[in-house]
């Protein structure tokens, strides 16, 4: 990711509607998955960026301690300071962890990055998880929505539900749950993507308070539906819970 984009994310991620919505949904889904799992050990935020999600999880989730992994050393330092949790600099393509070390694995918009090989990263997640442990992946949806913001943060791919399920199933995971989200705001996102210029301003920014509150309320409605078991049929993002079998 461009250094300036890391700096923007570090500055606004705790108050921007999209990041708050993503983290509340991911934390809820992850806690439920871990509650069903008998695996013990730490939960890894793999590709934790500047640490916003790790700080949201806190020192532990569902009785398991949390830790982070981040390729960029500056971001890893920021993440450790922000979250107060151990953060190691390293790649999700080749993680510095032993086999079966983890009770949970969290990956938020990481498989889309140009520096990540999705097949290798998924294999590494499988290797490092205990049998019966769960992984949660959030992915940007639909390749045709690649945008100026994606290029700025070095995203080179987006996923459909079918592509993501095939990737995970092909590397030893059983998909437990999948749903698109950011569905109600998808028409707004679509118009924005179709009309934006290559030099468009970053999507990572402060929004007017009224607009941030409105978008947050819309995501809260979706979050309640998804956590209740509704699988939304389309949206700007895709969230999948998958279990490591075998």
């Amino acid at each position: 990711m461009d250094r300036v984009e890391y700096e923007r994310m570090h500055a606004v991620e705790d108050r921007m509607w999209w990041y708050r919505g993503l983290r509340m949904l991911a934390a809820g889904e992850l806690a439920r998955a871990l509650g069903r799992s008998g695996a013990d050990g730490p939960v890894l935020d793999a590709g934790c960026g500047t640490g916003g999600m790790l700080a949201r999880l806190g020192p532990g989730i569902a009785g398991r301690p949390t830790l982070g992994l981040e390729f960029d050393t500056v971001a890893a330092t920021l993440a450790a300071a922000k979250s107060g949790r151990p953060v190691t600099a390293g790649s999700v393509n080749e993680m510095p962890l032993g086999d079966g070390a983890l009770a949970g694995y969290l990956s938020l918009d990481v498989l889309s990055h140009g520096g990540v090989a999705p097949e290798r990263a998924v294999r590494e997640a499988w290797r490092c998880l205990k049998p019966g442990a769960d992984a949660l992946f959030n992915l940007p949806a639909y390749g045709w929505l690649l945008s100026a913001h994606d290029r700025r943060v070095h995203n080179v791919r987006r996923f459909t539900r079918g592509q993501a399920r095939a990737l995970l199933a092909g590397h030893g995971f059983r998909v437990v749950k999948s749903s698109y989200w950011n569905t109600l705001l998808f028409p707004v996102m679509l118009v924005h993507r179709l009309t934006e210029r290559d030099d468009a301003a970053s999507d990572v920014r402060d929004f007017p308070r009224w607009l941030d509150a409105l978008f947050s309320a819309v995501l809260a409605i979706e979050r309640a539906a998804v956590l209740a078991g509704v699988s939304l049929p389309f949206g700007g993002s895709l969230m999948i819970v998958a279990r490591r079998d075998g």
Side-chain angles (χ1 to χ4, degrees), residues 92-93 107-122 138-147 149-160 163-164 167 189 193 236-238:
V92 297
N93 292 333
S107 173
L108 302 184
D109 294 344
V110 174
L111 298 186
S112 54
H113 194 272
V116 173
E119 293 81 5
R120 289 181 62 190
V122 170
N138 191 75
L139 305 165
Y142 307 122
W144 48 269
L145 276 179
L146 274 170
S147 66
H149 171 71
D150 284 311
R151 291 189 290 275
R152 189 176 290 113
V153 299
H154 300 173
N155 283 345
V156 299
R157 63 186 71 88
R158 300 172 73 96
F159 295 81
T160 65
Q163 289 169 337
L167 172 64
M189 177 183 176
R193 289 290 189 263
S237 293
L238 173 66

Side-chain angles (χ1 to χ4, degrees), residues 6 48-51 68-83 85-90:
Y6 270 126
C48 63
T50 54
L69 177 73
E70 170 55 40
F71 182 77
D72 186 276
T73 55
V74 173
T77 300
L78 293 172
K82 179 179 287 187
S83 67
R85 302 303 301 150
V87 177
T88 299

Side-chain angles (χ1 to χ4, degrees), residues 28-46:
E29 290 285 18
L30 184 61
R32 290 188 178 198
L34 292 170
R36 295 189 299 265
S37 170
D40 59 0
V43 174
L44 178 70
D45 185 354

Side-chain angles (χ1 to χ4, degrees), residues 15-233:
R15 58 181 183 266
M16 182 182 165
W17 63 274
W18 189 85
Y19 283 112
R20 294 199 316 272
L22 166 63
R23 289 166 185 168
M24 285 189 282
L25 177 58
E29 290 285 18
L30 184 61
R32 290 188 178 198
L34 292 170
R36 295 189 299 265
S37 170
D40 59 0
V43 174
L44 178 70
D45 185 354
C48 63
T50 54
M53 183 68 204
L54 201 54
R56 173 70 175 77
L57 294 177
I61 180 170
R64 283 86 163 179
T66 55
L67 51 90
L69 177 73
E70 170 55 40
F71 182 77
D72 186 276
T73 55
V74 173
T77 300
L78 293 172
K82 179 179 287 187
S83 67
R85 302 303 301 150
V87 177
T88 299
S91 171
V92 297
N93 292 333
E94 190 174 356
M95 296 196 295
L97 296 168
D99 295 354
L102 300 174
Y105 178 93
L106 180 66
S107 173
L108 302 184
D109 294 344
V110 174
L111 298 186
S112 54
H113 194 272
V116 173
E119 293 81 5
R120 289 181 62 190
V122 170
R123 281 197 300 269
E124 277 291 275
W126 188 93
R127 179 184 67 81
C128 293
L129 284 167
K130 287 180 166 63
D134 290 308
L136 185 148
F137 297 87
N138 191 75
L139 305 165
Y142 307 122
W144 48 269
L145 276 179
L146 274 170
S147 66
H149 171 71
D150 284 311
R151 291 189 290 275
R152 189 176 290 113
V153 299
H154 300 173
N155 283 345
V156 299
R157 63 186 71 88
R158 300 172 73 96
F159 295 81
T160 65
R161 192 197 312 254
Q163 289 169 337
R165 290 177 70 96
L167 172 64
L168 293 168
H171 293 87
F173 283 97
R174 174 170 53 88
V175 174
V176 176
K177 182 176 181 179
S178 65
S179 178
Y180 290 100
W181 65 279
N182 206 1
T183 299
L184 297 175
L185 293 173
F186 188 73
V188 178
M189 177 183 176
L190 181 59
V191 170
H192 176 65
R193 289 290 189 263
L194 293 176
T195 59
E196 74 175 355
R197 303 179 310 185
D198 287 344
D199 60 350
S202 174
D203 288 348
V204 180
R205 65 184 189 276
D206 284 316
F207 283 64
R209 291 180 64 181
W210 68 269
L211 189 58
D212 189 280
L214 175 62
F215 287 171
S216 295
V218 171
L219 290 189
I221 294 170
E222 292 188 9
R223 182 168 61 254
V226 173
L227 290 175
V230 176
S231 180
L232 301 177

